[in-house]
Amino acid sequence: MIRTPVRTNCLILSTLLAVPQVSAQTGSRLWRPEERTLLTDFSVVDAVAADENTLYLVSRTGIGVYDRRSRQWQPPVTVLEGYVPQRALSALIDPGDGSLWIATAAGLVHFSPRVRLLEHVMVVGGVSQLTLDRQDPFAGVYFVSRSGWMSVPRGGIMAQRAMTIPHARNQVRALDVAEVLRRHPTIETTRTRVLVDERLRSYRFTAAAEVRLTDDVFLGTNGMGVIRYDAQTTDFEPLPFGLLSEGAVAVEVALGGVWAAADGRSPRSGFTFVASDLQRFAHEEGRRVTGLATGRVWDLLSRDRRLWAATDAGLIAFDRERNPLHLTTSDGLPSSRVLSLASGSDGVWVGTTRGLAFVRDGGTVERIGEQLYEPILSLAARSDTVWVGTRSGLGLSWAGSERVVVPPGVRAVPDMNGEIVALATSDEIVVAATRDRIVIRTGSGEQGAGSGWLAERSISTELGDLTSVAADGDGVWIGGTRGLAHYGFAGRAFVFFIGTTDVPGPVLDLATDDRYLWVATDRGLVRFDKGALAR
């Protein structure tokens, strides 16, 4: 990825967007798009632009880039690349180099895809009537500002007063929706059907672009993303991209990708399946009419082709073939507010605000540890043993047991007698996270016997409050309110990735597969290539 420093010109108020300084912490770097990608909600589209090669969708959260030749989504342009959240008024593709011009109330935004360069040109009063010259595609872009007609010449980033403007018949402008509907009456007659989703929610078209060479029309919406219309066959094709909401509060690896839970800031709630290559997106919002009244989602677990969700409204499990399973106190859970999950050999361990339960694969609920009424903040299971993180320390239970016990050696570690906010297991190693450090169990033994505990130094200065851990072979990933870290078991070494240079917001959850580390944040879901993180 090419980054450039700030350049300003006070006479024309043009600014090339600055890139934050690289953190001094070991591991921080400038990232290429394939090494780090941020996914967020792109369903509300303010502008679209298309030619024979590329489709751009512009939303408040960034720019989606769709390669029409390969029919594949490219990594989006987001706050990680310096995109400033704002409403786009219109957008056009420059025929000279395939770059994108966006008109906003603050000025112009120019995106050059070949070098992944994003430029902002500030214009007092904003921009209207974004125009290209059909007869001279290399002349640059023209627009109307408060001061009249202005232009930005080819290769420039400075706005200047336009000495001449293209003749009206040679002006290329963005289409408005009304014009497209007049050209294609079939869209008008069928849009009521097209713009109603499975939840019976109605949407509207917000932007349009037409590519006459291929008879394609691309329609932006205010909640359904972009829809392609084939003018020859009159067929509609949704092009799903992005999450259900701007942020992700939980993430879980599944076959072929991950599931991410919406953060509730969107009218839509539920879960998004994201394929590992970012080419397939599927949304799960529950039954058609009632949806999923989950409240906050605290944890996710993928097991036996089902996704299990710990929510404020109970334990929910669903797949594509069966109706969702929804368990609450009426089904035997200690509390309907579920905070944590872990997979057992024949069921799911369930941590609630009032104790622990085990849900067998058939749906039977068993209460574990009748005396344990405090919140179960975290769980980690291996084989038939489950480690239990509570507000007052670490516990242990196992299949067939009706109680939760304190593991040997735990009481001798002062840091283990408070909140255990996250847990992870890797082979014979257990990692417990408190608010400011990780504590590691080494060795083995039945029900925790014969093991030792090692409390590492506090890392809250670098990471803030710890929030999550994910085991990964010979180490563990650690998430905090200020960033991300990796800890290697063999060398007992931390590598930190902190601040907006690396992670766009507080880490809420982590998941890892063979190739990628997935990070849930309040700005979206980040996919890191682990090979790049290791360099």
Side-chain angles (χ1 to χ4, degrees):
M1 183 185 301
I2 294 180
R3 303 287 184 108
T4 56
V6 176
R7 290 189 291 174
T8 59
N9 188 314
C10 60
L11 295 178
I12 59 172
L13 300 179
S14 296
T15 302
L16 179 61
L17 192 70
V19 175
Q21 292 293 318
V22 176
S23 168
Q25 293 292 328
T26 301
S28 296
R29 67 190 72 218
L30 298 179
W31 303 93
R32 294 195 294 268
E34 65 274 14
E35 295 175 341
R36 182 190 61 171
T37 304
L38 173 64
L39 292 170
T40 182
D41 182 5
F42 290 92
S43 65
V44 178
V45 180
D46 292 328
V48 293
D51 62 13
E52 293 81 4
N53 300 315
T54 308
L55 163 69
Y56 293 103
L57 71 86
V58 186
S59 72
R60 310 291 170 88
T61 57
I63 304 170
V65 184
Y66 184 72
D67 187 325
R68 296 191 58 205
R69 295 163 299 182
S70 63
R71 295 181 62 85
Q72 289 193 332
W73 288 102
Q74 302 301 307
V77 182
T78 64
V79 293
L80 292 181
E81 287 76 35
Y83 185 82
V84 178
Q86 58 189 314
R87 179 171 177 256
L89 305 176
S90 62
L92 286 174
I93 293 179
D94 191 321
D97 59 6
S99 63
L100 178 69
W101 289 98
I102 305 170
T104 76
L108 287 174
V109 179
H110 184 229
F111 173 63
S112 301
R114 293 179 183 176
V115 292
R116 298 282 294 187
L117 179 64
L118 191 68
E119 301 164 298
H120 288 244
V121 181
M122 305 299 292
V123 178
V124 176
V127 170
S128 63
Q129 295 188 33
L130 192 63
T131 303
L132 299 170
D133 189 343
R134 193 187 314 275
Q135 294 294 103
D136 188 2
F138 297 97
V141 65
Y142 300 84
F143 58 92
V144 176
S145 71
R146 182 184 298 175
S147 302
W149 278 96
M150 303 186 74
S151 68
V152 177
R154 163 75 55 192
I157 62 164
M158 298 187 297
Q160 60 190 27
R161 189 174 301 279
M163 303 306 294
T164 61
I165 62 173
H167 191 278
R169 66 173 175 268
N170 292 327
Q171 291 182 11
V172 179
R173 299 183 182 180
L175 298 177
D176 61 31
V177 172
E179 182 179 356
V180 170
L181 295 182
R182 286 194 299 269
R183 292 186 185 181
H184 302 277
T186 302
I187 299 177
E188 176 69 45
T189 58
T190 59
R191 66 173 173 172
T192 301
R193 171 176 56 84
V194 173
L195 293 175
V196 176
D197 67 9
E198 293 183 348
R199 312 270 93 69
L200 304 180
R201 295 170 299 207
S202 297
Y203 300 91
R204 59 182 175 82
F205 294 128
T206 57
E210 184 176 11
V211 183
R212 295 192 177 184
L213 184 64
T214 58
D215 287 322
D216 286 319
V217 177
F218 296 95
L219 299 156
T221 71
N222 65 334
M224 299 180 73
V226 172
I227 299 172
R228 172 184 168 269
Y229 171 74
D230 188 321
Q232 287 190 345
T233 65
T234 69
D235 291 333
F236 291 89
E237 178 192 10
L239 300 175
F241 182 67
L243 307 181
L244 276 173
S245 63
E246 182 176 349
V249 293
V251 60
E252 171 73 356
V253 172
L255 182 64
V258 296
W259 284 97
D263 66 358
R265 284 185 285 173
S266 165
R268 302 180 300 168
S269 64
F271 312 91
T272 302
F273 176 80
V274 180
S276 295
D277 61 0
L278 310 185
Q279 299 308 312
R280 185 164 63 92
F281 299 84
H283 303 307
E284 178 58 61
E285 298 182 76
R287 294 184 176 93
R288 290 192 173 187
V289 177
T290 59
L292 291 170
T294 61
R296 164 70 191 250
V297 177
W298 295 98
D299 199 6
L300 294 176
L301 173 67
S302 179
R303 172 184 167 80
D304 296 336
R305 301 179 65 86
R306 269 190 165 187
L307 181 69
W308 299 74
T311 81
D312 281 341
L315 176 65
I316 299 174
F318 62 86
D319 59 27
R320 294 289 178 180
E321 300 175 357
R322 293 173 284 183
N323 288 329
L325 173 68
H326 192 172
L327 301 177
T328 64
T329 52
S330 62
D331 301 290
L333 291 182
S335 168
S336 292
R337 192 178 182 206
V338 181
L339 303 177
S340 53
L341 301 170
S343 182
S345 59
D346 61 348
V348 175
W349 299 95
V350 181
T352 77
T353 55
R354 300 195 64 189
L356 179 67
F358 186 77
V359 178
R360 296 198 175 275
D361 290 333
T364 304
V365 179
E366 301 173 5
R367 176 70 187 269
I368 308 297
E370 292 287 346
Q371 79 287 357
L372 184 64
Y373 285 99
E374 64 179 307
I376 308 300
L377 305 179
S378 54
L379 293 169
R382 185 174 183 274
S383 186
D384 287 329
T385 300
V386 63
W387 299 87
V388 183
T390 73
R391 285 182 176 174
S392 58
L394 184 67
L396 181 71
S397 190
W398 54 93
S401 174
E402 298 180 355
R403 60 197 181 101
V404 177
V405 301
V406 177
V410 166
R411 295 194 189 279
V413 184
D415 297 289
M416 297 288 279
N417 297 318
E419 287 188 331
I420 306 298
V421 300
L423 287 164
T425 60
S426 177
D427 295 327
E428 300 296 337
I429 296 176
V430 178
V431 179
T434 69
R435 291 291 177 188
D436 70 338
R437 72 187 69 220
I438 59 171
V439 183
I440 302 166
R441 168 191 174 267
T442 59
S444 61
E446 187 175 351
Q447 299 172 12
S451 61
W453 295 90
L454 170 68
E456 275 292 349
R457 69 173 180 86
S458 172
I459 53 175
S460 59
T461 300
E462 294 92 346
L463 287 190
D465 288 345
L466 304 192
T467 59
S468 50
V469 291
D472 190 15
D474 59 356
V476 62
W477 294 99
I478 309 162
T481 54
R482 295 180 187 169
L484 174 72
H486 181 264
Y487 176 84
F489 295 137
R492 294 181 54 189
F494 291 98
V495 178
F496 295 96
F497 303 87
I498 60 175
T500 54
T501 302
D502 295 315
V503 185
V507 175
L508 304 177
D509 197 16
L510 298 168
T512 182
D513 59 27
D514 291 341
R515 180 173 179 181
Y516 297 113
L517 173 69
W518 302 84
V519 182
T521 79
D522 61 359
R523 302 299 293 270
L525 179 67
V526 186
R527 188 195 71 175
F528 283 100
D529 187 305
K530 292 194 296 187
L533 286 165
R535 288 199 293 269

